[in-house]
Amino acid sequence: MDDALYFSEQHLATREMVRQFARDEVAPVAAKLDAEAKFPWENIRKMADLGLLGVPWPEELGGAGLDLISYMIVINELAKVDASHGLTISAHTTLGTSPIVKFGTAAQKQRYVPLLAGGRVMGGFGLTEPEAGSDAGGTRTTAVRKGDRYILNGVKRFITHGSVGEIFVVTAVTDRSKGTKGISSFILTKPTSELTAAERVGVGHEPSLPAIAGFRAGKKEDKLGWRASDTCELIMEDAEVPAENLLGAEGQGFVNFMQTLDNGRIGIASLSLGIAEGAFEQALRYTSTRKQFGQPVAHFQGVQFQLSDMATQIEAGRHLMFHAAWLAQHKRPFSKEAAMAKLFCSELAMRATITAVQLHGGYGYTKDYPVERFMRDAKICEIGEGTSEIQRIVIARHLLQDLAD
Ligand code: COS
């Protein structure tokens, strides 16, 4: 792809800055963080200092004031080296912060966004439940108004930053009789579960945020990939949420989080593409140096064909992803394109990483090379923020709607 198509000088400068950070600070620790399933607190501090935890938000709200394309570049460059770092930025920014930026009152924005955008605390999004995954409208968590509070009861599952985070946007049913129009969103706060680490690095905990009674982290997941990203349950047991923490109007929650997910899908496309690109770079380098039968294996046509296919599909993925981001940035409809980009890039990440492991032969199956981690990290891209099946449903609905129109 010609850089000039989507990138300005400023985009290229952002790319160079993040590329350098990924090479110097992420690459040396990625394998250890993965092996130990540790949240990258030291790098959270460094990314906060670089403004990477609030890339697309206005400077007056503590963000870096950059655009959506810049934000996609950040996720992409991090994921080329470590998907967990890319996901940390994506989940914190799109899922945790964007609903407050987009649907919050002035007071809510002033209270929460600077803390999130400046990387002072981590944010998350509580939508998925034990019985509500692809069927996002099947939310069981309830919110019952009592005077100046809502009482929330329910469990949210697979929540990125559920344990380490402090600010969450959580969905709950306020009127069961109205179906998806009876779902609302709330801002909930709790102290981080990793206070010692947060205090060590100087970000991750904000003492002025109230610990909402009855709201806590539950079981932490032990995952196949994205192991340096924190995934945890959130539990609400008669959680007492001030009425002023209602985010948007009552009943507006479903449409709001559908819009949030539309944006999130471009981020996961960018992350998936990064994994595919990282795997490709490793495979290209390895096959150019690894000798068998007296020559580098990249001299064999069978290997060349695989490298060519990877490079071609990556190029296609870049166009799909940056085009979806461009549409979103220019306030044009982008829901179909975001689903297409997410579907294509996540399946590409899986194919490309399997090929990269194969091209590394026996070494690819060991932890001496990063491609096995890339392969484990790729799988969830076909599942999280809407499975591949859901993306196909979303795309098909657009196709049929376009026809009807
Ligand atoms: N933007 C704005 N509004 C949207 C929307 C979108 N992307 N998608 C749906 N809506 C609106 C619809 O227009 C509809 O409004 P009206 O009733 O006024 O027409 C309302 O929301 C309900 O939509 P729909 O009837 O399509 O809801 P369904 O229950 O059929 O669900 C799918 C649709 C399956 C697409 C949805 O549940 C989904 O995306 N599921 C996947 C969720 C997911 O990604 N989970 C992982 C989360 S990881 S954080």
Side-chain angles (χ1 to χ4, degrees):
M1 189 179 88
D2 187 340
D3 281 346
L5 198 55
Y6 294 109
F7 302 157
S8 64
E9 285 300 316
Q10 185 266 313
H11 291 129
L12 296 177
T14 301
R15 186 171 75 181
E16 193 45 44
M17 184 264 282
V18 183
R19 208 170 261 182
Q20 198 175 326
F21 172 76
R23 190 183 58 220
D24 297 346
E25 309 290 347
V26 180
V29 296
K32 189 165 189 289
L33 291 168
D34 169 73
E36 296 173 357
K38 284 235 170 81
F39 191 65
W41 279 110
E42 274 70 18
N43 276 343
I44 294 294
R45 173 60 203 249
K46 290 171 196 164
M47 292 195 288
D49 291 345
L50 289 172
L52 300 185
L53 285 142
V55 175
W57 312 132
E59 287 173 89
E60 58 270 24
L61 288 175
L66 300 179
D67 60 10
L68 198 70
I69 301 258
S70 308
Y71 170 50
M72 292 308 152
I73 288 172
V74 171
I75 297 171
N76 183 248
E77 289 300 325
L78 290 171
K80 283 181 191 175
V81 173
D82 180 47
S84 292
H85 277 72
L87 193 261
T88 297
I89 294 297
S90 172
H92 171 82
T93 309
T94 307
L95 300 182
T97 315
S98 81
I100 308 180
V101 174
K102 294 204 171 123
F103 313 119
T105 61
Q108 288 171 335
K109 284 189 224 185
Q110 282 306 329
R111 177 73 181 107
Y112 301 107
V113 177
L115 291 174
L116 293 160
R120 300 248 304 279
V121 300
M122 299 306 296
F125 183 60
L127 166 63
T128 303
E129 298 186 1
E131 291 175 68
S134 291
D135 180 11
T139 303
R140 298 278 185 281
T141 297
T142 53
V144 178
R145 178 96 191 221
K146 276 209 177 138
D148 62 353
R149 321 211 132 222
Y150 284 89
I151 309 300
L152 268 66
N153 278 289
V155 174
K156 298 291 177 178
R157 188 153 289 167
F158 306 139
I159 307 307
T160 303
H161 304 151
S163 156
V164 300
E166 299 213 327
I167 300 176
F168 297 88
V169 173
V170 169
T171 59
V173 176
T174 39
D175 186 344
R176 177 92 51 210
S177 69
K178 292 186 177 157
T180 57
K181 291 187 173 54
I183 297 177
S184 307
S185 300
F186 299 86
I187 302 170
L188 270 67
T189 52
K190 66 163 184 66
T192 176
S193 309
E194 298 195 8
L195 200 54
T196 311
E199 284 174 343
R200 185 181 72 239
V201 298
V203 295
H205 179 55
E206 172 54 44
S208 74
L209 286 172
I212 287 182
F215 178 49
R216 65 182 170 88
K219 174 181 164 246
K220 198 172 155 111
E221 302 298 341
D222 186 5
K223 311 188 296 294
L224 174 70
W226 284 6
R227 289 178 57 75
S229 162
D230 170 60
T231 314
C232 191
E233 271 181 343
L234 285 176
I235 297 173
M236 289 149 285
E237 290 164 324
D238 291 329
E240 293 186 26
V241 181
E244 69 203 29
N245 286 27
L246 175 69
L247 181 65
E250 258 197 32
Q252 205 49 47
F254 187 84
V255 168
N256 288 358
F257 69 67
M258 280 295 132
Q259 289 175 9
T260 302
L261 288 178
D262 280 341
N263 279 284
R265 285 165 188 162
I266 311 177
I268 299 301
S270 182
L271 186 150
S272 307
L273 187 66
I275 297 175
E277 289 172 292
F280 171 74
E281 282 167 24
Q282 294 290 331
L284 185 64
R285 194 171 313 141
Y286 182 82
T287 53
S288 308
T289 52
R290 165 75 172 167
K291 286 192 176 150
Q292 289 290 276
F293 305 102
Q295 54 184 318
V297 293
H299 288 188
F300 293 107
Q301 224 174 34
V303 170
Q304 290 176 356
F305 286 0
Q306 295 187 64
L307 292 170
S308 300
D309 285 350
M310 283 167 101
T312 305
Q313 291 169 23
I314 284 168
E315 193 71 2
R318 286 172 66 74
H319 281 284
L320 273 176
M321 188 275 284
F322 280 115
H323 177 60
W326 185 93
L327 289 173
Q329 184 161 299
H330 289 84
K331 313 264 179 262
R332 307 213 185 159
F334 67 94
S335 173
K336 179 178 73 181
E337 289 77 4
M340 286 176 164
K342 202 269 187 185
L343 173 64
F344 184 84
C345 292
S346 60
E347 296 192 347
L348 164 62
M350 200 66 246
R351 279 195 308 277
T353 53
I354 288 174
T355 305
V357 168
Q358 188 71 20
L359 290 175
H360 278 68
Y363 293 103
Y365 202 62
T366 72
K367 295 199 187 292
D368 292 348
Y369 289 84
V371 287
E372 64 82 31
R373 170 166 53 86
F374 290 176
M375 191 177 105
R376 287 186 286 106
D377 285 342
K379 184 59 210 168
I380 188 66
C381 298
E382 296 179 315
I383 299 171
E385 291 192 39
T387 59
S388 291
E389 292 75 11
I390 286 290
Q391 307 312 320
R392 288 185 168 94
I393 289 171
V394 170
I395 295 163
R397 284 185 178 189
H398 280 285
L399 297 176
L400 296 172
Q401 189 59 49
D402 291 348
L403 185 68
D405 290 347

